[in-house]
Amino acid sequence: MKKQFFIIALSFLAFTVHAQENEVQLHIKAESELYHKPLRLTASNLAPGAKLKWSLDVVDARDHKWHSEAFYIADQEGQIDLSTQPSVGGNYLGVYPMGLFWSLQSDDYHQIATHAGFMAKITLSQDEQVLVQDSIYRQSTRALDALGVKGFQKRDSIMANYYLPQSDEKLPAIIFLGGSGGNFRQERASLFASEGFAVLDLKYFRGEGLPDGIIEIPLEYVRKAHEWLLAQPEVDATKIGITGRSRGSELAMLYATKYEVSYVISQVPSNVVWFGWEDGKSSWTYREVPFPYAEYTDEDSERIELEMQAQGIQYHDGPKFLSAFKNAELIEKSAIAIEELNCPILFVSGKDDKTWPSTMMADRLVQRLVEHDFQYEFLHLAYEDAGHNFAGGGQGCGIPYLPAEDYSNSTDRGGTDQGNALAAIDSWKQILAFIHRHIRD
């Protein structure tokens, strides 16, 4: 059967400021209004060698103001093309076609709102004199009606939100498992839906009929969700994958060792089962048997917190989880038997993850696959200067071409603003490419 993916029916958009001859012109070209799709930004009719400031101003859906700026020098033809020319100052340096967008900063909020779109106003100025400006609308993937995506709530044997793109053919599908925040991940689920996937955003705790925390959650609960997807007439039953991030990565990988899926995406993963949120309890079970789990000691936890306070270090959990690896026997018993997968797997991690050592743990998963001569594709993408939340840790986090969340006033998640933003862009491309490789007809 010929493969078809959901394509947003938007005409090629080209915006040019109308100007008289010899006046500066600003060109904004886009193939889609969606905020995770790139634009091409150029300017012409400039004096060769002129240094211009490009500014971007946004008021998000919660009325918070965001601003960025960068400086560019016109070439010998009097043109600036952000896709090929470097910024020489401002919020970022180098060739970044969408740098104005991912480098946005706000004085009054830490996270850009994503439940609705926004107008992006671009201004070109020289020596504080405005030469030209124009605006373009950037649409949220959570505006489901505009995308032709139907959203459903499922509140019976499972608690989930279901995203269904319009299509004349059966759709590939994804079971999406969030992390320890326990919330639905509308921004990430709708992002997949905008690319033509039926998405089941599955809540596995903190909901009616669910545990209050991550405490002995049965793999069979995910199986109910999987069986429901298999029964949907619009879903291609041969193309259902599972993706989990952080604590959800444990659940996704464990599930795929017991049940058949097309692929696994494991974001900022763990290579072991960690303790449940109740003393003496595991996080997960299978056939009513709890999985062995790893944990750090109360003594190490207290010592690490005191050391952070004494050194004036912003609090983060990473050293606590790392301390548990001193107990090699416990780590071995709680290790996820990743070699039992019968499908390809992609690991995505941040090398500066301060929530837990996801890059180290992903490397251990890869090592285990190598040792067992794993027959399917496996790949680990580890990003420099990226932390724990670059791939969708909260609303607004991990959306390509949007700014990373500022954690300066909360628990440190790791990574730099630029590192997290660039990791979000590249990892999204790599995730889509990986999935498409493994759902071909």
Side-chain angles (χ1 to χ4, degrees):
M1 181 179 70
K2 184 178 180 182
K3 172 179 65 178
Q4 287 189 355
F5 299 107
F6 178 68
I7 299 175
I8 301 166
L10 290 173
S11 300
F12 181 83
L13 306 173
F15 300 85
T16 303
V17 174
H18 296 291
Q20 297 179 358
E21 187 176 359
N22 297 325
E23 287 188 355
V24 174
Q25 295 188 36
L26 169 63
H27 312 270
I28 308 173
K29 295 183 179 180
E31 294 184 6
S32 168
E33 288 185 335
L34 289 173
Y35 53 29
H36 74 289
K37 299 292 186 179
L39 303 172
R40 185 176 181 187
L41 304 174
T42 59
S44 57
N45 283 358
L46 306 170
K51 185 177 182 180
L52 270 67
K53 180 171 76 173
W54 290 63
S55 303
L56 175 62
D57 289 283
V58 165
V59 178
D60 71 18
R62 297 191 185 280
D63 294 327
H64 297 293
K65 295 178 181 179
W66 296 78
H67 176 80
S68 65
E69 56 188 49
F71 292 88
Y72 289 84
I73 297 175
D75 63 17
Q76 293 304 306
E77 284 72 43
Q79 299 179 350
I80 296 175
D81 184 343
L82 270 60
S83 68
T84 59
Q85 293 170 244
S87 165
V88 297
N91 286 38
Y92 59 94
L93 299 173
V95 180
Y96 296 108
M98 291 288 285
L100 286 171
F101 286 81
W102 56 251
S103 71
L104 282 165
Q105 297 177 352
S106 176
D107 291 332
D108 58 358
Y109 205 59
H110 63 99
Q111 189 175 37
I112 195 164
T114 61
H115 62 277
F118 54 79
M119 291 298 299
K121 183 175 75 173
I122 300 173
T123 303
L124 271 63
S125 58
Q126 186 175 25
D127 299 326
E128 302 306 320
Q129 180 181 353
V130 174
L131 303 179
V132 65
Q133 62 183 198
D134 197 14
S135 298
I136 182 172
Y137 183 70
R138 306 305 286 154
Q139 181 173 297
S140 169
T141 59
R142 293 168 67 184
L144 301 183
D145 290 343
L147 300 182
V149 174
K150 294 181 179 179
F152 304 93
Q153 292 185 352
K154 184 165 174 58
R155 303 289 190 270
D156 41 48
S157 60
I158 61 171
M159 180 169 282
N161 290 338
Y162 183 50
Y163 298 80
L164 181 62
Q166 184 177 1
S167 176
D168 293 330
E169 296 194 1
K170 287 183 177 290
L171 294 165
I174 296 173
I175 301 169
F176 187 90
L177 303 172
S180 60
N183 300 313
F184 286 119
R185 294 269 68 98
Q186 297 101 322
E187 79 299 324
R188 199 71 175 176
S190 65
L191 196 63
F192 278 110
S194 76
E195 297 288 343
F197 296 93
V199 183
L200 193 66
D201 183 7
L202 183 64
K203 200 181 220 327
Y204 53 90
F205 73 104
R206 283 186 184 159
E208 186 176 353
L210 299 176
D212 292 333
I214 303 177
I215 305 165
E216 295 192 346
I217 295 165
L219 300 190
E220 289 84 356
Y221 174 74
V222 182
R223 183 58 184 171
K224 291 178 184 178
H226 193 176
E227 289 176 340
W228 183 84
L229 265 181
L230 287 167
Q232 302 312 299
E234 67 274 5
V235 169
D236 186 335
T238 67
K239 298 177 181 179
I240 299 178
I242 189 167
T243 178
R245 58 158 282 107
S246 194
R247 292 305 306 270
S249 74
E250 297 172 43
L251 182 55
M253 290 185 289
L254 290 171
Y255 180 78
T257 65
K258 305 300 182 183
Y259 302 97
E260 184 175 347
V261 293
S262 296
Y263 57 85
V264 178
I265 310 293
S266 187
Q267 300 180 59
V268 289
S270 171
N271 69 310
V272 300
V273 172
W274 288 102
F275 52 89
W277 291 7
E278 185 176 312
D279 288 346
K281 296 291 183 68
S282 179
S283 295
W284 326 105
T285 68
Y286 176 59
R287 294 181 176 175
E288 300 183 350
V289 178
F291 285 93
Y293 60 90
E295 61 182 341
Y296 45 78
T297 66
D298 291 339
E299 292 76 14
D300 278 337
S301 178
E302 183 177 354
R303 172 184 57 79
I304 288 167
E305 287 191 30
L306 290 173
E307 288 175 352
M308 286 185 185
Q309 292 175 9
Q311 297 172 30
I313 297 174
Q314 185 179 359
Y315 178 80
H316 55 279
D317 287 324
K320 294 183 179 182
F321 283 99
L322 189 59
S323 71
F325 283 84
K326 295 183 299 183
N327 189 336
E329 182 180 356
L330 186 63
I331 291 297
E332 180 59 31
K333 286 181 179 179
S334 59
I336 295 171
I338 197 68
E339 70 278 3
E340 294 180 6
L341 288 182
N342 289 303
C343 66
I345 183 165
L346 172 64
F347 307 106
V348 182
S349 72
K351 292 186 178 181
D352 191 40
D353 189 338
K354 285 184 165 53
T355 296
W356 63 12
S358 60
T359 295
M360 183 200 79
M361 294 191 289
D363 284 341
R364 290 192 174 207
L365 288 163
V366 168
Q367 181 182 359
R368 189 166 180 131
L369 292 175
V370 171
E371 290 173 351
H372 286 83
D373 195 24
F374 191 65
Q375 61 179 311
Y376 299 94
E377 181 186 4
F378 58 95
L379 178 64
H380 178 199
L381 305 173
Y383 290 94
E384 299 285 349
D385 300 320
H388 192 72
N389 278 15
F390 73 88
Q395 304 292 34
C397 291
I399 305 298
Y401 310 119
L402 291 187
E405 183 169 358
D406 177 9
Y407 283 99
S408 59
N409 292 319
S410 63
T411 299
D412 193 358
R413 305 283 195 243
T416 63
D417 290 346
Q418 178 166 319
N420 284 326
L422 295 179
I425 294 168
D426 187 73
S427 64
W428 179 246
K429 294 176 183 177
Q430 299 283 356
I431 286 169
L432 289 181
F434 182 86
I435 293 174
H436 289 163
R437 284 199 299 274
H438 298 291
I439 59 172
R440 293 183 183 135
D441 291 325

